[in-house]
């Protein structure tokens, strides 16, 4: 594998806490497909990890609740024919998933008020447009 996968800042995915499982990929692939275990399933115990700060861990557990099975998040990759490339893809995907899940919540939106001048100008232009259209209809019968 090509090395540490950053989650956010200096926090990286800990290699020791990753559990890999390999199996045969489905679909066409010729003679090689029946003999090689190229599909990769990567599991990471999010509930028991010490690599993430407690605040991030709580945030990730809350946001990924629908994906977790007993506190473990899993990612599967089988789009490449090579097991090594599938390992890379799964690790990058897991890092991206954790990065998104540990992101701080967005700032709350401050409601703004439309300035009175803008609203008045919009209504003036609307009346002028209506007058123009009304002038086009010839109803003098």
């Amino acid at each position: 594998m090509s090395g540490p996968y950053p989650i956010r800042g200096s926090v990286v995915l800990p290699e020791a806490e990753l559990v890999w499982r390999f199996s045969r990929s489905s679909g066409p692939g010729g003679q090689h497909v029946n003999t090689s275990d190229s599909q990769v399933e990567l599991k990471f115990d999010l509930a028991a990890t010490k690599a993430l700060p407690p605040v991030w861990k709580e945030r990730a557990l809350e946001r990924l609740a629908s994906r977790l099975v007993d506190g473990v998040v899993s990612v599967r990759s089988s789009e490449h024919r090579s097991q090594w490339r599938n390992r890379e893809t799964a690790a990058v995907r897991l890092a991206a998933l954790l990065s998104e899940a540990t992101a701080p919540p967005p700032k709350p939106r401050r409601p703004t008020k439309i300035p009175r001048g803008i609203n008045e100008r919009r209504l003036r232009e609307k009346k002028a447009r209506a007058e123009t259209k009304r002038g086009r209809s010839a109803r003098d019968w």
Side-chain angles (χ1 to χ4, degrees):
M1 296 205 6
S2 70
Y5 296 96
I7 296 175
R8 295 191 102 57
S10 63
V11 179
V12 293
L13 233 124
E15 289 284 332
E17 295 183 21
L18 299 178
V19 178
W20 300 92
R21 198 174 124 224
F22 308 103
S23 59
R24 293 190 183 128
S25 292
S26 62
Q31 296 170 339
H32 181 66
V33 77
N34 296 326
T35 59
S36 65
D37 294 337
S38 60
Q39 178 174 304
V40 173
E41 185 178 6
L42 176 58
K43 292 187 178 193
F44 179 66
D45 194 349
L46 187 58
T49 188
K50 300 282 186 213
L52 297 176
V55 177
W56 289 12
K57 192 165 142 179
E58 288 173 26
R59 207 180 287 158
L61 285 169
E62 184 181 312
R63 290 183 183 169
L64 297 174
S66 62
R67 287 192 67 147
L68 296 177
V69 178
D70 297 330
V72 177
V73 64
S74 69
V75 174
R76 184 174 287 161
S77 175
S78 65
E79 54 258 16
H80 302 290
R81 290 178 60 183
S82 153
Q83 185 189 96
W84 184 81
R85 286 181 67 192
N86 281 331
R87 284 175 66 122
E88 287 286 310
T89 305
V92 167
R93 204 179 291 162
L94 179 64
L97 183 71
L98 290 174
S99 172
E100 192 175 310
T102 59
K107 288 184 179 177
R109 183 188 171 278
R110 277 184 40 211
T112 56
K113 190 176 176 185
I114 298 172
R116 200 170 99 205
I118 289 177
N119 207 25
E120 287 174 358
R121 186 177 68 216
R122 181 184 64 84
L123 293 174
R124 239 190 347 264
E125 289 172 358
K126 200 170 171 178
K127 279 197 187 304
R129 185 84 180 134
E131 206 46 51
T132 304
K133 288 188 170 194
R134 197 177 299 116
R136 288 180 187 159
S137 66
R139 289 195 298 168
D140 43 322
W141 23 270

